Amino acid sequence: MKTWTKVISAAAAVLAVSAATVSAQDKGLPDPRHDKYVDAMSGKKVVYVPIGMGYDLSEGWWAGLQRELVPLGVDLEIRDPNWSVDAGVRTLTSLIGERPDLIMVQSPDEQSYSRVLRKAEKEGLHVVQIQMHSSHSSDIFVGADWIQVGEEVAKIAANHCGPDSSGKISIMQGVLTASASIFQVRGVYNILDQHPHIQVVSNQAADWDASKARAIMETVVQQHPDLCAAIGFWDTMDAGTGAAIREAGLQDDVFLVTSGGGHKDACDNLENETFDVAISYDVPRQALELANAARALLQVESEAGAFKYSHYSPLTVMTKETLDTHRLNGACWTKESIASK
Amino acid sequence: MKSMYYRILGRGDAAMHVPVMDGPLKPNNRLDVAERVTEVPELDNLVSCEGKLWATSETQLGVLSNDRLETVHTFSSTITCLAVSETSRLAIGLDEGRVVIFDPSSKEVLDEQVVASPTALLFWDEDDLFIASGSKEHSPSEWQADLMSEGRSGSLTRWSLKDGSAHTLLSGLAYPTGLVRDKTDRLVFSEAWKHRLCVFADPTLDGIGRPGIEPVLTRLPGYPGALSLNPDGSIWMAVFAPRNQLVEFVLTEREYCTKMMRQVDRSLWIAPTLRGGRNYHEPMQWGAVKQLGVLKPWAPVLSYGLAVRLNAEFQPIESLHSRADGSVHGVTSLLETRENDRATTYAAAKGDGVLVRMDAGSQL
Amino acid sequence: MLGLRMNLELVRKWRYQLIPDHVVGEILEKRWTDNAIPIVTLAGVIAALYLSIPDFFSSYAITDYSRQIAELGLVVLAMTIVMIAGGIDLSVGSTFAIGNFTALYCVHILGMHPLPAFGLTCLSGILCGAFNGYFIGYLRLRAFLTTLVSLIIFRSIVDLLLQKHAVGIMATFPDSDLWYEIGEGDLWGLPYTIIATGMIAIFVHILFSRMRPGWHIMAVGGSRRSAHNAGVNVKRTVFLTYVASGLLCTIAAFMFASRLSSASSDAGNGLEIMALTAAVLGGTSLGGGRGSVAKALLGTAIVLLLSNGLIRLGIQGGASSLIFGIILMLAVLIDVRWLKNRGKILNKVYVSPTYMRLPPAPETGAGGSSPYAQNDKLHHVEIIGLGEIEGPEDVILDENDHLYAGTRHGDVVRFLAPDHKKMEIFAHIGGRPLGMALDADGNLVTCVASMGVYSVSPQGKVTKLTDQTNRSWSSVVDDSRLNLADDLDIGPDGKVYFSEATKRFDTHTWAVDCLESRGNGRIVCYDPATDRTRTLVSDLIFPNGICTSHDGQSILFAESWACRISRYWISGPSAGKVEPVIPNLPGYPDNINRSSDGHYWLALLGMRGPALDLAQTIPGFRKRMARRVADDSWLFPNINTGCVVKFNEQGEILDALWDLGGVNHPMLSSMREHKGHLYLGGVSNNRIGKYKIPDAEPNWTGFTSYWGRAS
């Protein structure tokens, strides 16, 4: 031991002496890319405008964005319109005046934000749209491919309801004018139209509200006790759909397919068989992609809207049986788990 | 802190509340409609002795006969209070600061005792006389000065006529002005500046230890004075002056109050009086402005006529009033007599110098 | 010690001269003080946001806020109109949603031009409002419950329609530029929408402040029953407020639709809470009868700035709703407390006494050597009109010996010569006729409290001479209107000189002015030649009686609470100057009139008492008394007893007339000599006295003394 310490201290002494004499070249070279990257990030103002806080998706993205961007010195801000379209438009309008470096926005519907987003683009503001886009496309879109989601859920439902079943399917949309509804329902019909024996007995909008969904489903299962499958557009809302089915005692008869961010609540609902299948668009991954989109846009020196591209999230089909596998891949997350990763 | 807050905003303890005359004290004009027996200046101290009605007027002691006051004896200063014993000896309080024992038949002074401000006397028995002294600083005729300087120097003394010894039983009283022994042998006294009636727990005590007093009737709308026991066990209480919100306010305004006492003639003070409103230099209140030549009976004034009958539990059961526009103000003495099952109440209004009489039985 | 006391008194004197306490009360009396709380709140909100969010008030942001005010402002206005009429409209949000849908449906699906679409949108709002108005106005259902129900009904209708048409609306882009311009365009930087809202707001303001329908709405909100009794059609008025509310909501919705084209079902969600909060914050009363456009806009500004600020501060959903809830509650609390206590506070602070030290009062004791010594000369006066007349403050006789007097009923009555037994109403003016004089043409000119100066022709025709003078620059309240014109006289040139006793108290509370003893009064001159009225002397302490001197060069005037008589020169070398005549009276002087022997009669309406004289030197005592003691118990000047004195040009007292017993004529405010008799008036007497003056010139009349001839 003693000899080792002697050797080390001697070596340290030599190093110290030599360090004083080596030239700058010996310390390695500055990386211009690194400096540029650091400059591009630090002190930049990024504003996050979800349609409302307090639900899994927006909380998950927010946790991921904070985890990824705050250490880089990005000034990350949140503006919560609290589910009010008008407040959202007002927020965006005032952001145009404030001129942050990047806006990340989730549109409540196709129409409402489109004009103000176009204006933002004209004013040279970079915008990332999240999950539900507006009819005006901005620099980058990160989110689910709703056509694909619709097709997937419809395929699963159609497979379940073979020719020997009643073939009755119900559709529970969110806000009708939201892109998540408009395009998803198109995807659903793309598939269902290929299955003539399948009959859509109800196609209603529950406005992303679980209690509304529950009320609608209660009447649907009353009118159609032989309902074969229910397609829901969002797992949080469909907790209500499932509850209505459970209350009607049709839990084993009605096959409930839904989609969502793969939050722990969705997993729990698979576990307790409220949902039969849940498709996940993987919010932790979306968060990371959002952060990457931000990193990219903060570095490029292009005009706003010069390039427009979409990052569609890959989909995972989750069932009770496959849950453990998905857990290993990061499904069944909570905002704490995202933040701590 | 709290009291300062109260003082600034005039709330809580500092609020100028005067209890309303309500219930048994509801105003009437019974004193004004009563039979006016005679008019004698400063008539006071009605006492019944040997079947005759005795009274005083300033320095004179007299007997009422044929509705006139016939002078029996004239003293050296104003007679402030009077009591009669079983054997018809009279105890007489004098404004100069003395209490004398007087034999009416021989017209001789038998004994005397120095008392600062004799306001009420009571023979407990032949040899024991209770004396209420209103104040140490002011004689009874200066009672307004004692009130306005917030006097708290009254006392209660027991004078044993047998051995001449005098014991002070209570001191620091807020102007005791009436003494009575009720049917259950309790000693009751009125404490004018606190607008209340108190029972002295055990009068046989010699003032040793800590004799307690128990307030039995509080928040009176006026200043209680003489008390007298009626044959049926009820008690007449003379309320010699009304409480007035302005007076209560002036009492809290020490600067004004002291200046007033120093600079203004006493008859013109903002202070209760036995008879007010006769001199236009006197302070007047808004509500007392005459409308079309009429003074409203509810006008706020500094003098009033009020007699209250209390039951054995000292609760008011009836009252006699002479209101702002009345002419029997400043009632200081009441006496109820019973002859052949007929009860008669006499009220002496010192303020207006009048004796009124009414049939008490018919009013009950 | 004495020196110290003197100094303290000096300090007190200066303190009350320098600090005008009465201004507090006068400001509180203004109706616009209702707006004080919202304005302070707005200023507070602006300051807080400015400090915490640096670029919150950038010019861009301000344009943006104005655009927002346009829509919410209309909805708040809608709510305000309904609330002023005493109702509440919870369905504003749902009506807004209906309007939004109608506009989008017309433009996007039917492809209509925006103008007819606007008409249809308004119609939808009128129908919604009529629905509410019919149930609340005509069927008299409760406003709260009815609009709560219609909130749900309208919202469900919108939801049902949206199920069907939302995607269609969203998918079409109308090619009307006008449609987009409405929501987004501007004129010289001012958005069209804010211009439209501004015009509507101005119209509604004029409606409420200048037009009959607005007054009807105010009246209904203030008191339904009184409005009904006054002939207002309450049911229709209430109905119309809801229609107006519906209409305004849909106009706002039309702007919203054009700006966002949002077919989402949350349009107008929670708008009723926003609008209610804004209305109440602005100071519109929940109880009705109180509110204005300015208040509505103030409230809107506060709410919008707050909601924007909360989003900017990154406060998340639930918390900001909670904050709004708390603010609404506070606003309601303040509204209720303010309404309840404003009058109380005003009462407590209105009376604001000031320092006054009078010299010791002269003796008046009977039998003394004082010229004022009491006697009972007035004990046996003849009584005229006992019980018939109420409150003859002043009396006057014409050349035909008819006796005139004003009464508290606003009449000038006449007792017919020669015996004055028969009374008739000569003219009805209204108000409270006080001092009187005859002009050269025999017209009776009289001061009428709370109205001004009026002239009554011998035929009984009433003409207003003047009711205002020039406003003094230092006064908080507009003091140009004559408040309590008291006595007058006419100069040789026909000018009317009159006193306004106090600007701060009225006919019923005039004597409270004594507690203040501030210079609240003034002497004013009306010139009939030019029809102009000018203030001659101001800051007088209850100027009361006025009399033109025998030589016509000056007027004598009395200042009641200051217990003095002064002379104001109207011509000659000292014109415009004031000089003392009697500096210290034993009582409060009232009217002054000429006597036949070249001197003057003066009525003392009350006598001084030392307790009040002392209180006059301690203003704090009087102020606290006014706050803490019930008003009928306040220390007051003794106006139950008065007397008449005669004085000469030098101010020497020559005679005094008393009613010692105080039965017949204890109270006096005026006297008038006529043909050897003195006629006595008293402001709260029920009679007129007639006193035979020993050794008086038996044919002397006031009219000849003034005008030198019979009329």
Side-chain angles (χ1 to χ4, degrees):
Chain A
M1 274 305 281
K2 266 207 167 158
T3 45
W4 271 113
T5 43
K6 269 181 191 166
V7 170
I8 287 170
S9 53
V14 169
L15 269 174
V17 172
S18 59
T21 55
V22 285
S23 69
Q25 272 179 349
D26 297 331
K27 294 181 195 167
L29 291 168
D31 181 357
R33 284 175 165 283
H34 167 85
D35 294 348
K36 199 180 157 213
Y37 179 74
V38 169
D39 281 355
M41 297 300 142
S42 73
K44 291 292 165 65
K45 184 164 160 187
V46 175
V47 183
Y48 170 63
V49 188
I51 56 177
M53 288 303 281
Y55 73 100
D56 59 349
L57 306 178
S58 60
E59 296 282 354
W61 297 323
W62 177 237
L65 283 172
Q66 279 180 308
R67 187 193 70 208
E68 295 293 320
L69 297 181
V70 172
L72 302 175
V74 172
D75 175 13
L76 195 58
E77 271 186 37
I78 190 170
R79 300 284 163 82
D80 179 10
N82 196 25
W83 297 89
S84 156
V85 175
D86 187 39
V89 175
R90 278 196 265 139
T91 306
L92 290 172
T93 316
S94 81
L95 281 176
I96 294 174
E98 286 174 54
R99 304 198 60 82
D101 298 285
L102 179 63
I103 300 169
M104 309 188 99
V105 58
Q106 178 190 15
S107 301
D109 59 50
E110 278 282 290
Q111 197 92 6
S112 305
Y113 285 7
S114 68
R115 272 189 251 168
V116 69
L117 289 178
R118 183 177 298 131
K119 195 167 174 198
E121 185 172 285
K122 251 187 230 160
E123 297 281 332
L125 293 177
H126 287 294
V127 175
V128 173
Q129 296 198 33
I130 313 169
Q131 190 77 335
M132 295 201 288
H133 50 72
S134 152
S135 60
H136 173 79
S137 23
S138 305
D139 297 279
I140 300 180
F141 170 74
V142 174
D145 178 352
W146 295 114
I147 299 275
Q148 193 195 352
V149 173
E151 287 176 353
E152 282 296 329
V153 290
K155 266 182 214 159
I156 292 163
N159 283 346
H160 177 79
C161 298
D164 50 337
S165 72
S166 68
K168 285 183 176 176
I169 286 182
S170 75
I171 301 173
M172 187 72 68
Q173 301 198 40
V175 169
L176 277 175
T177 50
S179 58
S181 296
I182 300 168
F183 302 114
Q184 194 172 171
V185 80
R186 162 55 58 100
V188 167
Y189 278 102
N190 282 348
I191 299 301
L192 295 189
D193 286 348
Q194 300 165 11
H195 296 83
H197 73 281
I198 284 185
Q199 182 196 357
V200 175
V201 294
S202 154
N203 179 3
Q204 297 186 59
D207 294 343
W208 309 127
D209 182 349
S211 57
K212 240 181 188 172
R214 180 176 177 156
I216 292 172
M217 201 61 197
E218 270 169 9
T219 52
V220 170
V221 291
Q222 253 170 25
Q223 287 169 349
H224 307 283
D226 56 343
L227 189 69
C228 172
I231 293 174
F233 279 15
W234 185 32
D235 52 15
T236 304
M237 168 179 83
D238 288 321
T241 317
I245 295 172
R246 186 190 287 269
E247 260 169 38
L250 299 171
Q251 202 179 344
D252 299 333
D253 307 322
V254 179
F255 189 75
L256 178 54
V257 192
T258 183
S259 59
H263 189 262
K264 183 172 171 297
D265 291 345
C267 297
D268 292 346
N269 276 327
L270 282 170
E271 200 97 56
N272 65 26
E273 296 174 356
T274 304
F275 301 155
D276 294 288
V277 176
I279 288 176
S280 162
Y281 24 78
D282 199 351
V283 161
R285 181 181 168 138
Q286 284 182 325
L288 196 63
E289 280 174 356
L290 279 171
N292 286 338
R295 281 191 271 249
L297 284 174
L298 289 177
Q299 289 178 72
V300 298
E301 280 149 11
S302 66
E303 289 277 301
F307 311 97
K308 292 189 174 173
Y309 65 95
S310 303
H311 261 303
Y312 284 133
S313 314
L315 304 178
T316 325
V317 179
M318 302 199 298
T319 60
K320 187 182 180 183
E321 292 71 32
T322 59
L323 266 182
D324 291 339
T325 333
H326 299 306
R327 281 210 179 94
L328 288 177
N329 294 331
C332 308
W333 51 273
T334 61
K335 67 178 178 185
E336 290 78 16
S337 76
I338 291 181
S340 65
K341 217 176 249 172
Chain B
M1 263 316 280
K2 201 167 178 182
S3 71
M4 212 157 95
Y5 168 79
Y6 281 156
R7 282 245 294 282
I8 290 167
L9 291 177
R11 293 185 181 168
D13 295 339
M16 309 297 149
H17 289 307
V18 171
V20 212
M21 293 196 191
D22 211 346
L25 298 180
K26 195 173 162 216
N28 52 48
N29 59 353
R30 284 172 57 188
L31 283 174
D32 287 316
V33 298
E35 180 195 351
R36 291 173 85 92
V37 180
T38 180
E39 300 200 355
V40 181
E42 302 215 1
L43 183 72
D44 199 358
N45 298 319
L46 301 176
V47 166
S48 170
C49 177
E50 295 178 330
K52 280 184 269 185
L53 188 58
W54 292 69
T56 68
S57 164
E58 295 171 342
T59 58
Q60 294 160 30
L61 172 68
V63 174
L64 278 163
S65 65
N66 299 327
D67 295 346
R68 276 185 55 243
L69 186 71
E70 286 177 2
T71 305
V72 175
H73 191 78
T74 302
F75 288 87
S76 51
S77 67
T78 301
I79 299 166
T80 58
C81 46
L82 189 63
V84 60
S85 78
E86 298 272 313
T87 58
S88 300
R89 281 190 296 173
L90 290 176
I92 294 167
L94 296 173
D95 196 51
E96 66 201 36
R98 280 195 303 153
V99 171
V100 298
I101 306 295
F102 182 75
D103 182 355
S105 47
S106 66
K107 300 185 181 176
E108 270 175 34
V109 172
L110 305 175
D111 202 349
E112 72 168 72
Q113 175 77 24
V114 174
V115 174
S117 175
T119 48
L121 301 166
L122 173 71
F123 277 105
W124 191 260
D125 49 45
E126 205 51 44
D127 294 326
D128 272 319
L129 182 69
F130 282 92
I131 305 169
S133 166
S135 160
K136 270 184 197 160
E137 290 95 18
H138 302 101
S139 70
S141 57
E142 297 168 330
W143 61 273
Q144 288 160 307
D146 195 58
L147 168 64
M148 297 317 279
S149 54
E150 301 181 310
R152 294 288 184 270
S153 60
S155 58
L156 185 62
T157 305
R158 196 179 74 171
W159 180 21
S160 172
L161 297 177
K162 214 179 248 171
D163 57 11
S165 67
H167 293 289
T168 300
L169 305 177
L170 289 171
S171 56
L173 299 177
Y175 211 75
T177 43
L179 286 172
V180 77
R181 177 184 188 169
D182 80 345
K183 277 270 190 240
T184 55
D185 292 337
R186 287 181 291 182
L187 178 69
V188 185
F189 65 94
S190 48
E191 201 177 1
W193 304 163
K194 286 189 177 162
H195 332 103
R196 65 181 188 179
L197 228 57
C198 298
V199 164
F200 180 43
D202 186 1
T204 56
L205 272 176
D206 299 329
I208 304 161
R210 289 189 54 200
I213 61 170
E214 182 202 343
V216 287
L217 178 62
T218 57
R219 291 178 53 75
L220 287 165
Y223 301 97
L227 303 167
S228 65
L229 184 69
N230 301 330
D232 65 351
S234 65
I235 292 169
W236 272 119
M237 172 175 71
V239 178
F240 61 89
R243 286 172 75 180
N244 182 309
Q245 223 192 353
L246 182 63
V247 173
E248 311 262 314
F249 171 71
V250 168
L251 279 171
T252 66
E253 290 282 326
R254 293 321 298 173
E255 182 197 350
Y256 180 83
C257 195
T258 40
K259 277 189 179 171
M260 177 182 80
M261 290 199 287
R262 211 167 42 226
Q263 298 173 12
V264 178
D265 185 83
R266 193 192 303 157
S267 65
L268 306 180
W269 285 2
I270 301 175
T273 171
L274 295 181
R275 177 71 244 186
R278 291 282 189 249
N279 180 344
Y280 52 77
H281 290 307
E282 281 177 26
M284 198 189 77
Q285 292 167 267
W286 191 357
V289 173
K290 285 184 185 170
Q291 295 300 330
L292 302 179
V294 176
L295 176 69
K296 300 298 177 193
W298 56 83
V301 280
L302 296 170
S303 66
Y304 196 87
L306 177 59
V308 183
R309 186 196 291 275
L310 310 172
N311 64 14
E313 280 74 47
F314 311 109
Q315 294 310 303
I317 45 176
E318 69 163 334
S319 60
L320 316 172
H321 296 249
S322 171
R323 304 176 73 184
D325 57 343
S327 56
V328 191
H329 282 201
V331 175
T332 50
S333 182
L334 289 145
L335 185 69
E336 187 163 303
T337 59
R338 192 173 286 261
E339 283 169 47
N340 310 326
D341 290 339
R342 207 163 151 264
T344 308
T345 299
Y346 289 92
K350 191 177 179 181
D352 274 312
V354 65
L355 179 72
V356 298
R357 171 167 58 200
M358 71 198 74
D359 205 344
S362 66
Q363 301 288 354
L364 276 173
Chain C
M1 190 59 203
L2 187 69
L4 182 71
R5 199 175 304 136
M6 293 287 284
N7 280 341
L8 276 176
E9 194 145 342
L10 206 66
V11 167
R12 182 175 279 165
K13 185 175 167 184
W14 278 102
R15 172 247 176 276
Y16 281 96
Q17 266 174 14
L18 290 177
I19 304 174
D21 305 62
H22 62 294
V23 170
V24 179
E26 290 185 350
I27 289 176
L28 259 179
E29 212 186 22
K30 295 250 169 188
R31 252 183 101 85
W32 53 253
T33 48
D34 271 3
N35 293 346
I37 294 173
I39 285 177
V40 168
T41 314
L42 181 62
V45 167
I46 289 176
L49 291 174
Y50 184 79
L51 291 177
S52 53
I53 308 171
D55 57 348
F56 193 77
F57 293 102
S58 63
S59 64
Y60 180 88
I62 286 172
T63 328
D64 184 36
Y65 300 145
S66 69
R67 209 181 286 270
Q68 299 170 21
I69 282 187
E71 287 161 24
L72 182 63
L74 283 183
V75 179
V76 176
L77 221 48
M79 182 69 93
T80 302
I81 291 174
V82 173
M83 280 169 69
I84 289 177
I88 194 166
D89 190 352
L90 297 177
S91 70
V92 287
S94 303
T95 310
F96 185 87
I98 288 217
N100 182 42
F101 176 81
T102 314
L104 291 174
Y105 185 78
C106 290
V107 175
H108 285 236
I109 305 245
L110 302 180
M112 282 167 78
H113 186 269
L115 270 180
F118 178 70
L120 284 176
T121 307
C122 291
L123 186 68
S124 73
I126 288 171
L127 287 177
C128 290
F131 176 85
N132 282 331
Y134 177 72
F135 282 107
I136 298 166
Y138 287 104
L139 300 188
R140 306 204 49 182
L141 299 187
R142 297 245 171 215
F144 189 89
L145 291 178
T146 311
T147 55
L148 191 65
V149 169
S150 55
L151 174 153
I152 297 165
I153 294 176
F154 298 162
R155 175 67 65 186
S156 315
I157 292 173
V158 172
D159 279 351
L160 283 176
L161 292 169
L162 277 177
Q163 287 275 11
K164 231 172 155 179
H165 300 292
V167 178
I169 288 169
M170 195 208 70
T172 44
F173 290 90
D175 53 357
S176 161
D177 285 341
L178 177 62
W179 175 237
Y180 296 111
E181 268 298 291
I182 292 168
E184 293 183 331
D186 51 38
L187 189 70
W188 304 310
L190 262 187
Y192 291 134
T193 50
I194 191 73
I195 295 173
T197 301
M199 285 180 348
I200 291 171
I202 290 168
F203 172 73
V204 176
H205 174 75
I206 292 171
L207 184 82
F208 273 110
S209 56
R210 303 278 185 281
M211 286 165 70
R212 192 188 298 260
W215 296 343
H216 283 185
I217 293 173
M218 287 276 193
V220 168
S223 165
R224 226 181 139 95
R225 180 153 294 276
S226 315
H228 174 77
N229 291 342
V232 175
N233 187 336
V234 172
K235 289 180 175 181
R236 197 183 63 200
T237 307
V238 170
F239 172 80
L240 287 178
T241 60
Y242 286 93
V243 171
S245 162
L247 176 65
L248 289 176
C249 287
T250 47
I251 294 175
F254 187 80
M255 297 173 180
F256 178 82
S258 142
R259 183 162 62 95
L260 296 184
S261 305
S262 166
S264 92
S265 60
D266 83 334
N269 244 350
L271 203 55
E272 56 282 338
I273 297 295
M274 286 269 269
L276 194 62
T277 310
V280 177
L281 266 178
T284 302
S285 168
L286 283 168
R290 199 168 57 100
S292 68
V293 173
K295 287 188 174 82
L297 296 183
L298 264 177
T300 312
I302 296 174
V303 163
L304 269 178
L305 289 179
L306 264 179
S307 74
N308 281 313
L310 290 179
I311 295 174
R312 282 290 299 273
L313 286 170
I315 290 176
Q316 299 184 8
S320 60
S321 305
L322 184 72
I323 291 172
F324 262 91
I326 291 172
I327 288 170
L328 177 58
M329 218 165 85
L330 279 179
V332 171
L333 199 75
I334 290 171
D335 172 59
V336 172
R337 302 292 298 180
W338 173 256
L339 261 193
K340 201 177 128 196
N341 290 328
R342 176 174 181 240
K344 251 160 112 184
I345 297 171
L346 183 59
N347 265 345
K348 291 205 166 175
V349 303
Y350 193 78
V351 178
S352 54
T354 184
Y355 175 90
M356 183 169 76
R357 175 174 283 281
L358 290 171
E363 261 315 305
T364 57
S369 57
S370 158
Y372 298 105
Q374 278 186 309
N375 52 52
D376 54 2
K377 290 181 183 171
L378 294 185
H379 195 62
H380 298 291
V381 295
E382 195 183 317
I383 302 291
I384 298 170
L386 177 67
E388 282 182 276
I389 187 165
E390 294 190 7
E393 202 265 354
D394 197 7
V395 292
I396 197 163
L397 293 102
D398 66 11
E399 282 302 273
N400 302 321
D401 304 336
H402 298 312
L403 171 65
Y404 299 84
T407 72
R408 68 190 186 102
H409 301 114
D411 298 326
V412 174
V413 298
R414 169 157 75 174
F415 291 91
L416 297 178
D419 55 0
H420 301 137
K421 292 261 189 271
K422 186 173 181 316
M423 186 184 93
E424 63 179 22
I425 292 177
F426 177 56
H428 178 79
I429 303 176
R432 177 75 167 95
L434 299 173
M436 298 191 283
L438 289 169
D439 72 7
D441 302 326
N443 296 315
L444 183 85
V445 183
T446 176
C447 280
V448 184
S450 64
M451 286 176 73
V453 180
Y454 284 73
S455 166
V456 187
S457 74
Q459 289 74 40
K461 186 173 172 295
V462 177
T463 324
K464 182 183 87 182
L465 296 185
T466 180
D467 60 1
Q468 55 187 325
T469 177
N470 51 311
R471 181 177 176 166
S472 56
W473 63 271
S474 60
S475 175
V476 173
V477 290
D478 182 358
D479 63 352
S480 59
R481 190 65 57 169
L482 296 173
N483 177 52
L484 193 77
D486 193 330
D487 192 22
L488 69 133
D489 208 351
I490 299 172
D493 50 0
K495 286 183 183 167
V496 180
Y497 296 90
F498 61 96
S499 59
E500 186 182 19
T502 172
K503 297 188 272 193
R504 283 171 54 77
F505 296 92
D506 61 23
T507 346
H508 304 288
T509 55
W510 57 274
V512 180
D513 195 68
C514 178
L515 290 185
E516 293 205 345
S517 290
R518 178 185 292 99
N520 289 332
R522 53 190 170 179
I523 286 180
V524 186
C525 173
Y526 167 73
D527 187 350
T530 59
D531 199 28
R532 274 163 64 88
T533 310
R534 277 286 163 271
T535 304
L536 301 179
V537 192
S538 44
D539 300 330
L540 297 176
I541 302 170
F542 211 83
N544 200 330
I546 297 249
C547 182
T548 314
S549 66
H550 285 280
D551 63 6
Q553 298 233 328
S554 61
I555 55 168
L556 297 164
F557 65 90
E559 283 175 88
S560 294
W561 312 137
C563 303
R564 64 185 175 212
I565 308 289
S566 309
R567 184 192 299 276
Y568 174 81
W569 290 97
I570 54 175
S571 60
S574 337
K577 282 194 184 136
V578 174
E579 64 182 38
V581 177
I582 307 176
N584 185 29
L585 285 159
Y588 305 107
D590 201 325
N591 288 1
I592 311 171
N593 283 310
R594 290 181 185 176
S595 73
S596 58
D597 49 7
H599 305 310
Y600 301 94
W601 294 109
L602 167 68
L604 296 182
L605 84 154
M607 303 308 291
R608 285 163 59 182
L612 181 57
D613 282 359
L614 174 63
Q616 301 289 50
T617 66
I618 312 177
F621 170 81
R622 283 174 285 147
K623 189 183 185 105
R624 287 186 291 276
M625 178 177 78
R627 280 217 313 267
R628 296 186 191 174
V629 178
D631 50 13
D632 74 333
S633 289
W634 290 352
L635 179 62
F636 228 54
N638 187 336
I639 50 177
N640 282 347
T641 306
C643 66
V644 172
V645 297
K646 189 196 269 182
F647 67 94
N648 62 15
E649 296 281 359
Q650 289 73 43
E652 292 157 351
I653 306 299
L654 306 174
D655 195 5
L657 309 176
W658 288 85
D659 181 4
L660 192 56
V663 183
N664 258 343
H665 251 278
M667 194 213 180
L668 288 152
S669 56
S670 175
M671 72 274 104
R672 187 81 63 170
E673 185 176 340
H674 185 82
K675 294 189 177 169
H677 285 87
L678 197 60
Y679 294 83
L680 309 162
V683 68
S684 60
N685 277 353
N686 59 349
R687 65 196 81 181
I688 292 171
K690 182 180 177 187
Y691 168 69
K692 169 109 184 63
I693 312 168
D695 320 321
E697 160 69 50
N699 292 314
W700 186 91
T701 67
F703 191 85
T704 45
S705 163
Y706 276 83
W707 312 114
R709 57 182 165 82
S711 59

